[in-house]
Amino acid sequence: MYLELITPDTKAFEGEVQSVKVPGIEGEFEMLNNHADIISALEKGDLRIVTANGEEKTFVVDGGTVELINNKITVLAEAIL
């Protein structure tokens, strides 16, 4: 899967990932390869990434949206704290 994590000010992350866990407004959920397409609003919380080489990264986002279409994830975060 490919992930772009974008704020109004910067692109915080871009690259291949194994999984992404996000703080959805109705609870946290994880997206893996070949996940069904989805669009969701995000609340403030931890966004956890496992990169293609197995490295774990965590970003604290202050709300936003996530879109997953054809194994491409775009997170538009209001801010990264």
Side-chain angles (χ1 to χ4, degrees), residues 6 23-25 40-44 61-66 75-79:
I6 303 167
I25 58 170
S40 178
L42 302 177
E43 63 181 19
K44 182 178 178 180
V61 295
D62 191 18
T65 60
V66 60
V75 176
L76 303 172
E78 292 180 21

Side-chain angles (χ1 to χ4, degrees), residues 1-2 17-22 29-38 48-51 68-73:
M1 293 186 307
Y2 191 79
V17 296
Q18 295 179 20
S19 69
V20 178
K21 192 176 285 188
V22 297
F29 64 94
E30 184 173 25
M31 294 167 284
L32 301 169
N33 197 34
N34 296 320
H35 189 285
D37 293 349
I38 188 170
R48 295 183 188 95
I49 300 167
V50 177
T51 66
L68 167 60
I69 298 177
N70 295 326
N71 284 329
K72 182 173 187 238
I73 304 168

